[in-house]
Amino acid sequence: MNATALKRKHLILVGAAASASALVLTGCSAGSGGGSADGDITLTITDTLSETSAPIYQEVYDACAAEVGVEVEATHVAGSGLIATVLQQASSRTLPDVLMLDNPDVQQIAASGALSALSDYGIDGEGFPQGIIDAGSYEGDLYGIAPIVNSIGLFYNVDTLAEAGVEPPTTWAELQDAAAALTSGESYGLAFSAANSFEGTWQFLPFLWSNGATEDDLNSVEAAESLQFVTDLVQDGSASSSVVGWSQNDVNDQFIAGNAAMMINGPWNMPKLNATEGLNYDVVQIPVPESGDTSIAPLGGETFTVPQTGDDAKMAKAGEFVDCITQDEHQLTMATGRGAVPSSTTAAAEAATENELIAAFVDTVADARARTALLGEEWPEAATTIYTGVQLALTGRASADEAFEQAAG
């Protein structure tokens, strides 16, 4: 998931350790039937792929290497250590030719001068929702483009809701009533992550934004209302007080175990949910304050960028390569393999027709908001204030009216 953004001071301190832990896997497109005949250019790629997702991307890497006429070498670095590695590479002039960045990190790296504008390679994100463009932009220029994206929605156990005679909620009032009605014994009506981390902020944002609040004015009435609503779910017992320590993986495990009838989570969990025998689930957009309001959720997903390496020929090929991997057919390949939504509107519509469960996320992504769109490089500070305030309110250490102010202090 894609909800982390670390501060530069911390990143520099951990840079050496992160670089040392990188795992290198190489894919040679020429050896798989493609690539340049003379092997003049080999593009280096640094991404944050796991052992599970790397083969899915390698298929696309190889196809685009063949199309562009290059060979590729991919290095997979743990997401938590990537930015430290990138800052170290920038200072030593050893940046890769193609770099994957979580979208909240694009602005920080672009501001350092380490990236080239994608317009130099004819990439403008045409056909992509504005939120996706915003997520990859810095000071009006597009620096990163995401072939697939994600967000969060409300998953529910179809059988449990049917047995209780509860309809999937669409408004806050309906969610509150449904969560209370579905709470019984050791099973809660709703599970979500309110962890003391950027993950907790990520899961709170739909309540904040859909109520008209913004991260640059957390002392607003709308922000307090959003926090009070979430706090009430915990205080009335519809959600476990343990949410303050749960990651999104923990939330998914609670849902699978039958300890929650509903949960807030993302489409990346679908492969595990689908593999759970006897689990009948569905997903809808996260409920809004009032009927007719727009559900606004945060946009997740990794972007591909072209670093400033000083090698014009390789940068031009890298630009062609990034343009290739963001084409609709490759978006669909990656989205299917990772449980995500293709970025382009046309590819997303095709994905929704092929998988009804992804349809709610396609609608969500169309209105999703980039976390850095409003505050840019200052987003991590606001995100820290948000998750700290949520923790204060949910643990009873501050009222919803005072929690964000106390957190900022």
Side-chain angles (χ1 to χ4, degrees):
M1 212 239 15
N2 28 18
T4 56
L6 302 178
K7 292 185 177 180
R8 187 178 311 217
K9 179 170 68 174
H10 173 67
L11 297 174
I12 294 173
L13 292 174
V14 300
S19 298
S21 65
L23 169 66
V24 180
L25 298 178
T26 302
C28 178
S29 60
S32 58
S36 58
D38 54 4
D40 285 341
I41 292 181
T42 296
L43 296 180
T44 55
I45 306 169
T46 296
D47 58 39
T48 57
L49 301 177
S50 66
E51 292 183 2
T52 302
S53 55
I56 300 166
Y57 277 66
Q58 192 65 54
E59 176 184 343
V60 174
Y61 288 172
D62 288 343
C64 286
E67 180 175 324
V68 173
V70 296
E71 296 182 356
V72 294
E73 291 181 354
T75 301
H76 311 306
V77 179
S80 59
L82 178 63
I83 304 306
T85 299
V86 170
L87 293 174
Q88 186 181 62
Q89 289 174 333
S91 64
S92 61
R93 300 184 181 275
T94 56
L95 285 164
D97 301 304
V98 176
L99 173 65
M100 173 190 281
L101 290 172
D102 192 14
N103 71 69
D105 297 323
V106 171
Q107 295 205 11
Q108 177 187 351
I109 303 304
S112 74
L115 305 177
S116 60
L118 295 183
S119 58
D120 294 345
Y121 317 106
I123 302 172
D124 59 9
E126 182 179 359
F128 287 31
Q130 187 60 45
I132 297 177
I133 302 302
D134 291 342
S137 297
Y138 174 69
E139 294 189 345
D141 289 321
L142 183 65
Y143 287 92
I145 191 77
I148 59 175
V149 290
N150 60 63
S151 190
I152 45 180
L154 182 72
F155 289 75
Y156 63 94
N157 187 306
V158 174
D159 297 333
T160 301
L161 266 68
E163 291 172 5
V166 174
E167 293 293 324
T170 59
T171 66
W172 283 8
E174 291 175 359
L175 177 60
Q176 192 167 39
D177 290 343
L182 293 165
T183 298
S184 177
E186 298 298 319
S187 180
Y188 292 91
L190 178 66
F192 56 90
S193 171
N196 195 37
S197 67
F198 291 113
E199 202 165 19
T201 297
W202 160 266
Q203 288 232 329
F204 179 71
L205 286 175
F207 298 103
L208 184 79
W209 286 343
S210 297
N211 199 43
T214 55
E215 56 270 34
D216 64 342
D217 186 13
L218 292 172
N219 294 322
S220 68
V221 172
E222 292 81 6
E225 289 174 346
S226 305
L227 184 53
Q228 186 64 63
F229 175 75
V230 174
T231 302
D232 287 344
L233 291 170
V234 174
Q235 290 184 345
D236 70 14
S238 296
S240 171
S241 59
S242 297
V243 297
V244 295
W246 283 349
S247 69
Q248 292 181 112
N249 286 335
D250 295 328
V251 171
N252 195 52
D253 290 341
Q254 293 292 325
F255 183 72
I256 288 175
N259 296 329
M262 302 179 292
M263 72 167 176
I264 294 175
N265 229 316
W268 56 86
N269 289 301
M270 286 184 176
K272 187 172 182 179
L273 295 173
N274 294 339
T276 302
E277 186 176 352
L279 178 59
N280 183 17
Y281 75 94
D282 207 339
V283 59
V284 293
Q285 288 186 295
I286 294 176
V288 293
E290 301 287 344
S291 179
D293 290 344
T294 299
S295 183
I296 304 175
L299 183 73
E302 296 84 15
T303 69
F304 281 89
T305 69
V306 179
Q308 293 277 11
T309 62
D311 188 326
D312 292 341
K314 293 187 76 174
M315 288 173 64
K317 283 295 184 181
E320 290 182 49
F321 182 83
V322 170
D323 186 44
C324 177
I325 61 179
T326 54
Q327 298 305 305
D328 283 10
E329 62 178 301
H330 298 313
Q331 290 183 36
L332 287 164
T333 296
M334 290 181 276
T336 301
R338 293 197 70 187
V341 177
S343 290
S344 84
T345 302
T346 54
E350 182 177 342
T353 61
E354 294 178 357
N355 184 351
E356 292 182 359
L357 291 172
I358 209 73
F361 288 105
V362 171
D363 292 337
T364 296
V365 164
D367 294 309
R369 185 178 296 172
R371 283 159 282 174
T372 53
L374 183 60
L375 295 179
E377 296 171 82
E378 298 176 8
W379 163 250
E381 183 177 350
T384 301
T385 299
I386 291 171
Y387 72 67
T388 303
V390 171
Q391 286 264 316
L392 290 171
L394 266 59
T395 56
R397 289 177 288 165
S399 68
D401 291 335
E402 300 172 347
F404 290 131
E405 183 177 4
Q406 184 173 325

